[in-house]
């Protein structure tokens, strides 16, 4: 089975801190994604990565950056956390075929105080 | 613009009753279609998917969905709901090309009453 893991289930940070959210997949998927989930807004795409060292902005990239140095790992970075970044963050990776099915991690619930 | 609409924000169904969750999409071509379920505090789990062929697809946990091209719909159904089905359900569409992201609806929360 595909496994997508995220470094933390719950995280509490202070305004202005630099925050790293890590995601690791074990199925050699080329594509990886970071979504943000908020009540009533569903999932919104922050960034995605086609392959190592490649990245594309999603719908809401402002205030975020990403890093993909190795194929299995995709990191989301909040350079200076703000209270409006309090949310659930979901990582996903995609099957290597052409069907666009995505596999999700358990999520990280981030609270910024 | 590409979009997914789940018209029902919250639905309550009695245990043992049938369920239908609606999903409508706006897309320029035939998309790939998905339904995901999210239990409280968990990530998303794939229930079923449609790529091509038979328009009625079967998924896990007794769910099925029907693709209706003329109505741009992909409604999720279950004949008899169990209390454990209480969760949030997301419909998603994706272009039939590699390396692109899915577009998600805003979700429908299902409550099951006894």
């Amino acid at each position: 089975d595909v496994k997508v893991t995220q470094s933390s289930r719950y995280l509490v940070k202070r305004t202005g801190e630099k925050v790293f959210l890590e995601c690791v997949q074990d199925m050699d998927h080329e594509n990886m994604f970071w979504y943000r989930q908020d009540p009533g807004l569903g999932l919104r795409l922050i960034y995605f990565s086609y392959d190592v060292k490649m990245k594309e902005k999603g719908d809401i990239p402002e205030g975020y950056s990403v890093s993909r140095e190795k194929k299995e790992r995709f990191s989301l970075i909040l350079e200076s956390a703000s209270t409006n970044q309090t949310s659930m963050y979901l990582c996903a990776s995609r099957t290597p075929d052409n069907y666009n099915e995505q596999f999700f991690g358990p999520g990280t619930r981030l609270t910024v105080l | 613009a590409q979009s997914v609409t789940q018209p029902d924000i919250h639905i309550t169904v009695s245990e043992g009753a049938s369920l239908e969750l609606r999903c409508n999409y706006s897309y320029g071509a035939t998309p790939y279609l998905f339904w995901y379920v999210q239990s409280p505090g968990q990530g998303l789990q794939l229930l079923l998917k449609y790529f091509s062929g038979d328009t009625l697809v079967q998924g896990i946990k007794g769910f099925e969905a029907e693709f209706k091209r003329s109505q741009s719909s992909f409604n999720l159904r279950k004949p008899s709901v169990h209390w454990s089905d209480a969760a949030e359900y997301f419909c998603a569409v994706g272009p039939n090309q590699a390396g692109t992201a899915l577009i998600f609806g805003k979700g429908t929360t299902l409550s099951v009453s006894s």
Side-chain angles (χ1 to χ4, degrees):
Chain A
D1 282 349
V2 175
K3 191 161 187 181
V4 180
T5 57
Q6 295 182 229
S7 51
S8 304
R9 292 299 304 275
Y10 300 93
L11 206 55
V12 179
K13 296 293 182 181
R14 296 207 174 272
T15 302
E17 280 192 77
K18 190 169 186 176
V19 181
F20 293 86
L21 303 183
E22 306 285 341
C23 175
V24 177
Q25 49 95 3
D26 66 358
M27 283 300 291
D28 202 36
H29 288 173
E30 292 180 348
N31 300 169
M32 296 185 74
F33 305 83
W34 274 108
Y35 292 90
R36 172 177 170 159
Q37 181 182 15
D38 299 289
L41 298 179
L43 275 72
R44 295 180 290 169
L45 181 66
I46 304 173
Y47 268 97
F48 63 103
S49 170
Y50 287 113
D51 208 336
V52 176
K53 297 189 185 295
M54 298 178 70
K55 60 185 179 184
E56 292 285 338
K57 292 181 180 179
D59 300 319
I60 52 165
E62 297 78 18
Y64 303 95
S65 63
V66 291
S67 172
R68 184 106 181 264
E69 296 297 318
K70 293 185 178 181
K71 194 172 188 178
E72 67 271 18
R73 187 180 299 270
F74 190 34
S75 302
L76 180 69
I77 304 159
L78 288 65
E79 296 288 344
S80 178
S82 63
T83 55
N84 62 13
Q85 292 178 310
T86 292
S87 187
M88 169 73 99
Y89 291 88
L90 293 165
C91 175
S93 70
R94 197 188 70 86
T95 53
D97 58 31
N98 201 30
Y99 293 134
N100 220 345
E101 178 181 347
Q102 294 183 13
F103 295 87
F104 283 83
T108 296
R109 183 163 296 282
L110 173 67
T111 302
V112 182
L113 302 176
Chain B
Q2 302 164 358
S3 65
V4 177
T5 302
Q6 294 181 245
D8 304 305
I9 297 173
H10 191 187
I11 284 182
T12 299
V13 174
S14 298
E15 190 169 17
S18 64
L19 169 70
E20 182 170 34
L21 301 182
R22 296 182 290 165
C23 173
N24 294 97
Y25 64 90
S26 174
Y27 208 79
T30 300
Y32 294 153
L33 297 157
F34 306 85
W35 274 100
Y36 285 87
V37 61
Q38 184 182 35
S39 297
Q42 304 298 315
L44 274 67
Q45 181 184 20
L46 182 69
L47 278 177
L48 46 78
K49 58 197 176 191
Y50 172 78
F51 297 143
S52 64
D54 192 347
T55 56
L56 184 64
V57 294
Q58 301 297 321
I60 62 171
K61 304 184 181 187
F63 286 91
E64 66 179 26
E66 186 172 13
F67 169 56
K68 293 186 177 180
R69 185 189 304 274
S70 61
Q71 299 177 19
S72 297
S73 69
F74 189 56
N75 295 347
L76 181 71
R77 301 193 294 246
K78 186 170 185 179
S80 178
V81 168
H82 187 262
W83 64 266
S84 60
D85 293 324
E88 189 160 20
Y89 292 80
F90 293 94
C91 180
V93 302
N96 52 0
Q97 62 190 66
T100 48
L102 296 178
I103 302 167
F104 284 85
K106 294 184 178 180
T108 297
T109 299
L110 173 65
S111 297
V112 180
S113 61
S114 56

